[in-house]
Amino acid sequence: MNTQQLKDTVQALFVDGKGLLAMDESNPTCNKRFAALGIPLTVEARRAYRELIVTTPGLGEFIGGAILYDETIRQKKADGTPFVKVLIDAGIIPGIKVDTGARELAAHPGEKVTEGLDGLRDRLQEYLQMGARFAKWRAVIAIGDGLPSWGCIEANAHALARYAALCQEVGLVPIVEPEVLMDGEHSLDQCSETTDELLRTVFKELFAQRVMLEGMILKPNMVLPGLTCTTQETVEVVADATVNCFLRAVPAAVPAIAFLSGGQPAELASARLNAMNERFKSRLPWAVAFSFSRAIQQPALEAWHGQDANVQIAQQALLHRAQCNQAARRGEYTAAMETK
Ligand code: 13P
């Protein structure tokens, strides 16, 4: 393991207030988002949309790394230039989602375990040769009646740690993504409790698998009340609950926490990230950053709507969200940025 190389990659991903763009939706997920807007569910439509993203002028000023999907890392611009080259030329480091998705966990109704460890060492080598410098694996944990179970947390944490160790072996920085889902009626306190237990288990497993904390990135959920909870908390309450939870459970050796957006409205995700950085400025041992998919892409996807004529306006929408989130990383985001 080249530890300096891993640390350098993390540093480059988050330099100057930059964050990550998750554009690694699997084909079924991408198709679901296209279907909602009446965009054709074809390889070519997905390729054209990803071309729009990677060719957005100036994106590298705000985005340090882009997470790709297996289909996307092999794709090219219409003129034949590989997306990986386009990203590197724009100063954006390519990354790759390497899990093969979450499946039903046996004997645990309503719970899932993320798969993809079989053959992973060889796949990581292939992605490394293709230009990837970091990877991602997402585990999903649901809160519900009696959920999550200890077995589900343990199985997912173990897989995350095995994946992370394999990544570091070949020189890829692992993004470790344990996500507590927003679906449900649970309170902010319940989310905090579950997130705390999940994070402690994940770090116990990372320690057991000898993962070097300085060479990884944590990609967690924010601590939020469930989507259908009757009490929705203020931006400040969410920021405090989130950072306090992470201060207790995440070792200071981890260089960066890059939050997922999880379906939050784009502006709210920026406001919450901003509040964390503003309110805890001098007390944060890690970079508090973003690795959003929907909260960066959704306005651009809606503006594009599958039409060539809308590419420029969609790119402006994408760039705007990237810029807002860079400001939020610095604690300098304001609602006024949205009306400019
Ligand atoms: P969202 O920001 O849309 O939650 O996506 C992040 C991600 O990469 C999920 O794996």
Side-chain angles (χ1 to χ4, degrees):
M1 187 199 321
N2 183 338
T3 56
Q4 194 53 48
Q5 181 192 328
L6 295 171
K7 288 184 194 173
D8 290 348
T9 302
V10 179
Q11 155 75 14
L13 288 169
F14 296 104
V15 73
D16 294 334
K18 292 182 198 184
L20 308 182
L21 168 62
M23 50 179 291
D24 61 326
E25 301 81 8
S26 63
N27 291 347
T29 302
C30 188
N31 285 346
K32 197 165 78 184
R33 302 207 176 132
F34 278 17
L37 296 169
I39 300 167
L41 314 183
T42 61
V43 184
E44 176 48 25
R46 290 194 297 271
R47 194 209 59 76
Y49 176 57
R50 267 63 182 259
E51 173 164 346
L52 175 164
I53 295 177
V54 300
T55 59
T56 296
L59 194 62
E61 207 183 312
F62 313 116
I63 299 294
I67 315 171
L68 304 170
Y69 178 60
D70 184 72
E71 176 179 272
T72 324
I73 198 169
R74 301 168 195 278
Q75 283 176 323
K76 300 178 169 118
K77 273 174 59 178
D79 71 6
T81 317
F83 284 171
V84 168
K85 178 170 173 11
V86 178
L87 286 169
I88 293 170
D89 289 350
I92 299 173
I93 302 173
I96 180 75
K97 169 192 172 78
V98 300
D99 66 72
T100 55
R103 308 260 146 63
E104 312 291 300
L105 178 61
H108 291 72
E111 300 198 290
K112 292 185 169 174
V113 64
T114 301
E115 298 185 344
L117 286 173
D118 287 354
L120 183 59
R121 182 178 266 128
D122 294 340
R123 288 197 293 126
L124 294 179
Q125 276 296 351
E126 187 190 2
Y127 290 134
L128 186 73
Q129 301 312 321
M130 292 168 92
R133 289 295 170 264
F134 66 104
K136 181 189 112 169
W137 179 293
R138 171 177 179 248
V140 286
I141 303 293
I143 299 182
D145 199 10
L147 304 186
S149 68
W150 177 80
C152 177
I153 289 183
E154 188 68 29
N156 277 293
H158 178 76
L160 276 167
R162 295 263 312 276
Y163 137 83
L166 281 164
C167 285
Q168 291 191 336
E169 180 182 274
V170 301
L172 291 171
V173 170
I175 295 184
V176 172
E177 182 177 5
E179 175 176 5
V180 177
L181 296 169
M182 282 166 67
D183 309 85
E185 295 176 357
H186 55 269
S187 66
L188 177 100
D189 286 349
Q190 280 174 289
C191 179
S192 179
E193 221 171 275
T194 301
T195 304
D196 181 89
E197 186 187 354
L198 176 60
L199 291 172
R200 287 176 198 270
T201 311
V202 166
F203 281 100
K204 183 190 82 173
E205 292 288 337
L206 290 170
F207 177 70
Q209 297 304 321
R210 303 180 177 167
V211 172
M212 189 194 49
L213 301 185
E214 293 84 347
M216 62 160 275
I217 296 160
L218 181 70
K219 175 165 174 168
N221 52 284
M222 295 184 192
V223 172
L224 301 167
L227 279 174
T228 48
C229 176
T230 45
T231 313
Q232 291 297 321
E233 313 283 356
T234 63
V235 165
E236 290 75 20
V237 168
V238 165
D240 291 0
T242 302
V243 177
N244 285 326
C245 175
F246 285 81
L247 284 173
R248 287 191 293 261
V250 181
V254 172
I257 296 179
F259 285 100
L260 59 94
S261 60
Q264 301 173 62
E267 296 181 13
L268 196 51
S270 301
R272 287 166 168 165
L273 178 65
N274 184 70
M276 290 182 218
N277 279 303
E278 197 181 12
R279 294 163 73 79
F280 289 85
K281 208 162 217 145
S282 57
R283 292 179 46 204
L284 298 172
W286 354 260
V288 171
F290 58 92
S291 176
F292 296 159
S293 165
R294 282 162 286 181
I296 293 183
Q297 285 188 51
Q298 195 57 29
L301 181 61
E302 285 169 20
W304 176 55
H305 238 101
Q307 305 294 321
D308 284 348
N310 298 335
V311 165
Q312 227 181 338
I313 182 166
Q315 289 181 329
Q316 281 164 10
L318 189 79
L319 198 67
H320 175 65
R321 290 263 50 90
Q323 185 170 21
C324 286
N325 289 311
Q326 183 201 47
R329 254 209 72 185
R330 296 174 165 156
E332 293 169 2
Y333 167 82
T334 59
M337 284 184 75
E338 303 293 354
T339 51
K340 263 192 198 155

